[in-house]
């Protein structure tokens, strides 16, 4: 029962297998834009996650699930959120934290209360902020500053046909695998076919971010262009597709999923406005993860209260 | 009793008390040492006074007295250190050390143990608990200082990579989490050697989920049965709650009469 063919292993393989399929596109695009540097970061993160997963399982005498692909997914997600030329130890620390602290102690990828990749990236951002948020220019058109940094500095951004295409294709200065919006839309279509309900938190998240950035724009110029830039900057859409859809941390009820996404979006935008980091989406995801079980609990309580009221009404009328 | 109180029922790792001073004041070994000494002295003296003089005092007065005794111990010592010695305490310690007087370890140990036992037993318990808390503080302080800033007692270790995140509260919570897991694992293996050989594999239970991911499986590792540690912990906490609630009842009854 404990192998990858049955029970938990099968479920984990199925879900994280889907993620791996979706992650192929951003991986290919990051290698296309940043070449060997991106490949090196991907391999370092991938190997660290796998070795750490195996080593910690052996150390704590837990059976190692060879087909549990969650560690693999966490490694790739972390790599794609980093800069292509980030020092190798940054990726190693992020992956070790994600697997050894945020995943295995809680019983694996299907039970972790916090998204392991978000925890790993957040820890690395705290420890090596300069390295994490100093991006490689690659073939990007904006070779000096990322969209997130320019929004943070409040500089005016005007979207035209040329830079909109660059933004959609990910040809901008930023994390190596999260900026290609077209690839993210492809992943959304894949999720729509495979697991449509898991898109609800992401939809709520993006809607909340968009509305908040319309109400409180961070840069000059048109409000719409500021809101669109806000969505395309950093790892916002990437997080909506790969972190908020994590089955272990999502609330079970559809309405709660949307609330969870909206809450994450609001927290993320508050942190973007007031926080110290250029890309605080991982911190927002972690905060929302902590409240996710409470949402289900609250819904259950409300359901119980309503059912009792109904019962009372029935007995009073009857 | 010393081993049981300090290790097996470690106040920080098993009973989860005094977490605030441990997390807030162990950023480096020096701060951890001062806080450990303050907690130890506070716990020891308060437990001694509680077991000798406070047994007949009403409960709601006793709890306030623990705070006053703690402040009476810590504040003069801080004043002496500040104005009569050459030791300069960092600002954070001047804030944290007086707060040690209100740490939950003192209230729990005095209220559940010291006031119900003779002086010798109460003092032994306080010694064990104080040692347990102190050792954990020193371990956390050393690890956080080495990992967070690459130094130990201010001396550089020449580490090329440091993790400043470990000097933050999250670093301490990670250390405490792993420490608690290691301690429980150690005593679990000691009690049931079969776990050592086979590992503690989860029992799988099918649950219904209303989303599109199918049934979820639940780890039953944490279904503790006949576990002394948890029985002790639960009884301590229940006693404390009972003591407060019964105190309230008594006062309400008094008011009514």
């Amino acid at each position: 029962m404990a192998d990858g063919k049955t029970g938990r292993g099968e479920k984990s393989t199925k879900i994280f297998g889907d993620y791996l399929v979706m992650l192929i596109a951003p991986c290919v695009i990051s290698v296309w834009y940043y070449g060997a540097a991106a490949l090196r970061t991907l391999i370092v993160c991938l190997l660290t996650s796998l070795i750490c997963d195996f080593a910690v399982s052996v150390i704590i005498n837990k059976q190692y699930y060879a087909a549990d692909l969650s560690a693999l997914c966490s490694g790739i997600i972390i790599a794609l959120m980093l800069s292509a030329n980030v020092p190798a130890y940054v990726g190693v620390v992020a992956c070790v934290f994600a697997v050894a602290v945020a995943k295995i102690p809680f019983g694996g990828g299907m039970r972790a209360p916090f998204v392991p990749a978000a925890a790993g990236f957040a820890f690395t951002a705290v420890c090596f902020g300069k390295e994490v948020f100093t991006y490689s220019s690659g073939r990007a058109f904006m070779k000096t500053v990322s969209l997130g940094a320019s929004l943070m500095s409040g500089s005016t951004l005007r979207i035209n046909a040329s830079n909109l295409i660059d933004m959609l294709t990910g040809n901008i200065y930023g994390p190596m695998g999260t900026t290609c919006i077209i690839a993210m839309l492809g992943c959304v279509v894949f999720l729509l076919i495979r697991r449509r309900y898991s898109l609800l938190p992401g939809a709520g998240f993006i809607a909340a971010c968009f509305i908040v950035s319309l109400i409180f724009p961070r840069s000059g110029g048109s409000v719409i262009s500021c809101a669109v830039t806000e969505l395309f900057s950093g790892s916002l859409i990437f997080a909506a597709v790969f972190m908020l859809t994590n089955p272990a941390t999502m609330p079970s009820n559809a309405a709660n999923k949307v609330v969870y996404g909206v809450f994450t979006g609001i927290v993320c935008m508050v942190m973007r406005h007031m926080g110290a980091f250029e890309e605080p989406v991982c911190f927002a995801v972690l905060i929302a993860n902590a409240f996710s079980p409470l949402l289900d609990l609250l819904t259950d309580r409300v359901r119980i209260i309503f059912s009792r009221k109904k019962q009372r009404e029935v007995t009073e009328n009857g | 009793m010393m081993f049981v109180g300090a290790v097996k029922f470690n106040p920080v790792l098993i009973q989860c008390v005094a977490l605030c001073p441990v997390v807030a004041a162990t950023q480096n070994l020096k701060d951890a040492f001062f806080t450990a000494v303050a907690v130890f002295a506070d716990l020891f003296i308060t437990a001694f006074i509680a077991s000798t003089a406070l047994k007949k005092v009403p409960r709601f007065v006793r709890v306030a007295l623990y705070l006053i005794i703690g402040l009476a111990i810590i504040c003069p010592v801080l004043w002496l250190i500040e104005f009569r010695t050459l030791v300069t305490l960092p600002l954070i310690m001047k804030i944290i050390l007086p707060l040690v007087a209100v740490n939950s370890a003192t209230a729990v140990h005095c209220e559940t143990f010291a006031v119900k036992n003779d002086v010798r037993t109460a003092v032994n318990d306080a010694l064990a608990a104080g040692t347990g808390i102190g050792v954990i503080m020193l371990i956390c302080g050393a690890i956080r200082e080495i990992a967070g800033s690459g130094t130990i007692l201010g001396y550089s270790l020449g580490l090329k990579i440091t993790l400043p995140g470990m000097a933050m509260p999250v670093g301490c919570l990670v250390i405490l989490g792993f420490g608690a897991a290691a301690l429980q694992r150690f005593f679990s293996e000691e009690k049931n050697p079969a776990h050592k050989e086979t590992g503690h594999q989860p029992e799988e239970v099918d649950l219904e989920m209303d989303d599109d991911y199918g049934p979820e499986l639940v780890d039953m590792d944490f279904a503790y049965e006949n576990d002394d540690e948890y029985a002790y912990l639960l009884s301590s906490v229940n006693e404390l709650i009972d003591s407060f609630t019964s105190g309230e009842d008594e006062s309400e009854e008094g008011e009514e009469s």
Side-chain angles (χ1 to χ4, degrees), chain A residues 26-160:
Chain A
C27 284
V28 169
I29 285 159
S30 63
V31 174
W32 168 259
Y33 282 132
Y34 299 99
L39 201 63
R40 180 191 59 100
T41 308
L42 275 168
I43 290 170
V44 165
C45 290
L46 208 69
L47 287 179
T48 308
S49 298
L50 287 177
I51 292 167
C52 189
D53 196 25
F54 178 73
V56 178
S57 298
V58 170
I59 289 167
I60 65 169
N61 203 13
K62 285 257 181 190
Q63 208 153 359
Y64 176 64
Y65 296 93
D68 176 15
L69 304 170
S70 61
L72 207 68
C73 280
S74 299
I76 298 174
I77 290 171
I78 288 169
L80 293 174
M81 290 180 76
L82 293 171
S83 167
N85 62 351
V86 76
Y89 62 81
V90 175
V92 170
V93 169
C95 293
V96 169
F97 193 88
V99 174
V101 177
K103 188 198 142 199
I104 294 180
F106 297 101
M110 292 302 291
R111 296 187 192 127
F114 297 98
V115 179
F121 184 83
F123 185 72
T124 321
V126 167
C127 291
F128 314 106
K130 198 181 165 191
E131 289 89 339
V132 169
F133 297 111
T134 305
Y135 300 114
S136 166
S137 61
R139 294 163 53 171
F141 86 96
M142 287 172 74
K143 290 187 188 300
T144 49
V145 66
S146 64
L147 288 179
S150 61
L151 281 168
M152 217 175 169
S153 65
S155 53
T156 306
L157 296 163
R158 283 195 184 84
I159 295 180
N160 54 37

Side-chain angles (χ1 to χ4, degrees), chain B residues 225-246:
Chain B
E225 287 174 3
N226 305 320
D227 222 342
D228 291 345
E229 296 100 285
Y230 290 89
Y232 176 86
L233 177 60
L234 283 174
S235 66
S236 316
V237 174
N238 285 337
E239 273 179 30
L240 191 66
I241 293 166
D242 288 345
S243 69
F244 281 113
T245 48
S246 60

Side-chain angles (χ1 to χ4, degrees), chain A residues 155-177:
Chain A
S155 53
T156 306
L157 296 163
R158 283 195 184 84
I159 295 180
N160 54 37
S162 164
N163 61 24
L164 185 65
I165 289 169
D166 280 328
M167 281 183 196
L168 289 173
T169 54
N171 191 18
I172 51 171
Y173 193 73
M176 69 181 201

Side-chain angles (χ1 to χ4, degrees), chain B residues 64-118:
Chain B
L65 282 176
Y66 300 144
L67 164 69
I68 293 165
I69 294 165
L71 288 172
I73 298 160
I74 292 165
C75 290
V77 175
L78 264 181
W79 184 85
L80 282 174
I81 291 171
E82 189 67 17
F83 295 105
R84 293 279 183 265
T85 66
L86 294 174
V87 178
T88 312
L89 288 172
L91 180 64
I92 185 78
M93 295 313 296
K94 290 174 194 169
I95 299 166
I96 295 286
L97 285 179
L99 288 176
V100 163
V102 288
N103 80 78
S104 51
T106 308
V108 167
H109 278 268
C110 291
E111 202 52 36
T112 61
F113 203 86
V115 290
K116 292 174 184 171
N117 289 284
D118 59 292

Side-chain angles (χ1 to χ4, degrees), chain A residues 1 7-8 11 15 60-63 89 93 100-101 110-111 126-128 195 198 245 247 250 252 257, chain B residues 161-166 168 174 178 185 195-196 199-202 204 210-213 215-217 219 221:
Chain A
M1 195 69 180
R8 180 167 51 150
K11 195 175 152 193
I15 290 168
I60 65 169
N61 203 13
K62 285 257 181 190
Q63 208 153 359
Y89 62 81
V93 169
V101 177
M110 292 302 291
R111 296 187 192 127
V126 167
C127 291
F128 314 106
R195 307 180 191 288
S198 62
T245 54
M250 247 191 319
S252 55
K257 282 177 186 174
Chain B
I161 300 166
T162 56
L163 305 170
M166 290 302 285
M168 293 179 175
V174 168
F178 278 107
R185 178 87 185 188
H195 287 176
K196 198 173 184 178
H200 204 92
Q201 301 306 332
E204 294 184 345
D210 59 353
D211 68 359
D212 49 345
Y213 291 113
E216 177 58 284
L217 298 160
D219 192 344
D221 271 1

